[in-house]
């Protein structure tokens, strides 16, 4: 079982991480922290107790310190946890800094469950290919393990006919509206047709990122409202 520390200062997103992990076999949430200080304490205490954290899902923009600095500090633990940066930060300098300080992968918010699952399953295969305490048989074995993390995942996360940028935008606006949105609402905000918005919303609902709720008005046909699955 891979033990995970969630480091995220937005409660809704932290809960999404927890819910998504709960749908993936082989992962368990050991702790959650909303500051760098609490994250470091949780990781250090777990290591001292003999139950080290395997993986940290790390937000770069924390309220008390940079996630980059936290990644560097976490690398000093023995054993050091692996890190996947999950953030809205798109600055390439920040991306390079995150990788230089130990981030194995980088997932941009907002994300769908499919994208989240893809990164976590790739990490799972990477661990299985390079188990701790053993030696690699060859360079090819190391290359194959690293390729699990680096290979493009667009084909597996973007359904045929779906633009990743539009999928992300639709997911973001629903996440930012706690009461949910109808296809007509989403179409108006994003600037696409209602049918196009409906197709993306349905894909996200089928994927498990959103949930459907039927609104029965006083007149007319019922409307489907899509809400972020917490």
């Amino acid at each position: 079982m891979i033990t995970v520390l969630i480091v995220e200062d937005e409660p809704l997103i932290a809960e999404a991480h927890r819910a998504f992990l709960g749908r993936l076999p082989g992962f368990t949430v050991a702790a959650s922290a909303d500051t760098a200080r609490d994250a470091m304490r949780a990781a250090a205490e777990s290591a001292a107790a003999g139950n080290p954290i395997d993986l940290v899902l790390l937000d770069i923009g924390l309220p008390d310190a940079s996630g980059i600095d936290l990644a560097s500090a976490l690398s000093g633990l023995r054993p050091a946890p692996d890190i996947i940066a999950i953030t809205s930060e798109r600055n390439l300098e920040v991306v390079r800094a995150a990788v230089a300080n130990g981030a194995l992968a980088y997932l941009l918010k907002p994300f769908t469950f499919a994208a989240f699952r893809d990164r976590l399953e790739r990490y799972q295969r990477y661990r299985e290919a390079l188990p701790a305490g053993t030696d690699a048989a060859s360079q090819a074995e190391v290359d194959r393990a690293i390729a699990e993390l680096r290979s493009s995942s667009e084909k597996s996360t973007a359904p045929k006919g779906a633009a990743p940028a539009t999928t992300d935008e639709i997911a973001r606006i629903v996440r930012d509206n706690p009461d949910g949105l109808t296809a007509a609402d989403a179409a108006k905000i994003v600037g696409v047709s209602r049918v196009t918005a409906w197709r993306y919303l349905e894909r996200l609902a089928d994927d498990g990122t959103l949930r459907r709720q039927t609104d029965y008005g006083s007149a007319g046909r019922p409307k489907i409202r899509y809400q972020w699955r917490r």
Side-chain angles (χ1 to χ4, degrees):
M1 188 68 71
I2 297 172
T3 58
V4 182
L5 169 62
I6 298 171
V7 185
E8 172 58 63
D9 66 329
E10 292 188 40
L12 183 62
I13 298 177
E15 184 56 34
H17 291 354
R18 184 180 291 273
F20 284 175
L21 283 166
R23 297 166 62 187
L24 297 177
F27 293 89
T28 183
V29 178
S32 184
D34 57 10
T35 65
R37 181 178 180 180
D38 287 347
M40 192 66 204
R41 180 187 298 117
E45 289 177 353
S46 294
N51 300 303
I53 298 295
D54 296 315
L55 176 65
V56 178
L57 300 184
L58 177 62
D59 181 23
I60 299 298
L62 297 171
D64 60 335
S66 164
I68 302 297
D69 293 337
L70 175 58
S72 179
L74 289 168
S75 69
L77 296 176
R78 291 294 179 269
D82 293 323
I83 296 169
I84 295 179
I86 301 184
T87 176
S88 57
E89 181 57 69
R90 286 166 164 77
N91 185 293
L92 293 181
E93 289 292 338
V94 175
V95 175
R96 281 194 289 268
V99 173
N101 283 276
L104 293 175
Y106 202 93
L107 181 60
L108 288 172
K109 302 174 187 175
F111 50 85
T112 64
F113 173 65
F116 183 92
R117 178 182 59 205
D118 179 76
R119 294 302 188 281
L120 272 292
E121 288 181 346
R122 285 180 180 278
Y123 170 72
Q124 196 172 39
R125 292 195 294 269
Y126 161 79
R127 282 180 60 93
E128 291 170 353
L130 292 179
T134 61
D135 295 329
S138 66
Q139 179 67 48
E141 185 177 359
V142 174
D143 291 344
R144 280 194 298 270
I146 294 176
E148 290 293 349
L149 296 169
R150 305 305 183 201
S151 299
S152 172
S153 59
E154 185 171 312
K155 288 184 179 179
S156 64
T157 58
K160 184 178 180 180
T166 305
T167 300
D168 289 347
E169 179 66 8
I170 295 284
R172 182 189 65 77
I173 64 171
V174 177
R175 188 199 72 197
D176 292 346
N177 285 271
D179 294 331
L181 296 171
T182 64
D185 295 332
K188 189 174 182 179
I189 296 171
V190 177
V192 297
S193 71
R194 188 192 65 80
V195 172
T196 296
W198 172 78
R199 286 173 179 163
Y200 279 90
L201 289 164
E202 281 294 302
R203 284 170 178 148
L204 288 164
D206 289 342
D207 173 55
T209 301
L210 307 181
R211 63 185 179 88
R212 303 175 182 90
Q213 179 177 310
T214 305
D215 285 349
Y216 296 94
S218 57
R221 293 189 300 176
K223 295 180 179 179
I224 303 297
R225 184 171 293 274
Y226 299 86
Q227 294 179 308
W228 188 260
R229 185 181 291 276
R230 302 185 182 184

